[in-house]
Amino acid sequence: IVYSHSVREITDILTELHHHYHAEIISCMHVHLDEHNCLEVLAVKGKVGNIKKIADKLIATRGVKHGKLVMTTTGKDLT
C-alpha cells in the first residue's frame, strides 16, 4: 500500500491491523517514498478468504492512496 503518513492516526490504525492479524502477517517492509508518502509491502500467509479480508481492510483505510493484493502459491505442490 502507498499512504500519506500525514493523515491523522493512520500509522496507529495500520499498526493495530498488523497486531490484530499477527498470525497471518509474516513480514512487513516500510519505505519512506518522500516527505509525505510511505510504502508498505506485507507478506501474508493463510486462507484466501482471510487474506482478502486483510487486504480489503488495509486498502480501505483512510489515507491509503493505492493498494493491490497479489497472491501466489507457497510452492509446496509445485514440481
Side-chain angles (χ1 to χ4, degrees):
I1 59 174
V2 175
Y3 66 92
S4 172
H5 73 262
S6 62
V7 171
R8 186 176 215 180
E9 299 176 358
I10 189 166
T11 54
D12 293 338
I13 293 167
L14 293 175
T15 299
E16 186 176 313
L17 283 170
H18 290 195
H19 285 279
H20 184 75
Y21 293 106
H22 69 276
E24 291 86 1
I25 298 174
I26 57 175
S27 181
C28 180
M29 178 178 66
H30 181 91
V31 178
H32 299 277
L33 298 174
D34 57 33
E35 63 185 65
H36 302 289
N37 297 294
C38 295
L39 166 72
E40 280 198 8
V41 178
L42 288 84
V44 295
K45 186 175 180 180
K47 297 193 180 278
V48 172
N50 291 340
I51 301 308
K52 286 182 179 181
K53 185 165 80 171
I54 294 167
D56 290 344
K57 286 185 178 192
L58 288 167
I59 293 168
T61 301
R62 188 171 133 322
V64 172
K65 296 179 175 185
H66 175 74
K68 183 174 182 180
L69 173 62
V70 177
M71 294 191 294
T72 189
T73 178
T74 60
K76 72 178 183 176
D77 293 328
L78 297 176
T79 58

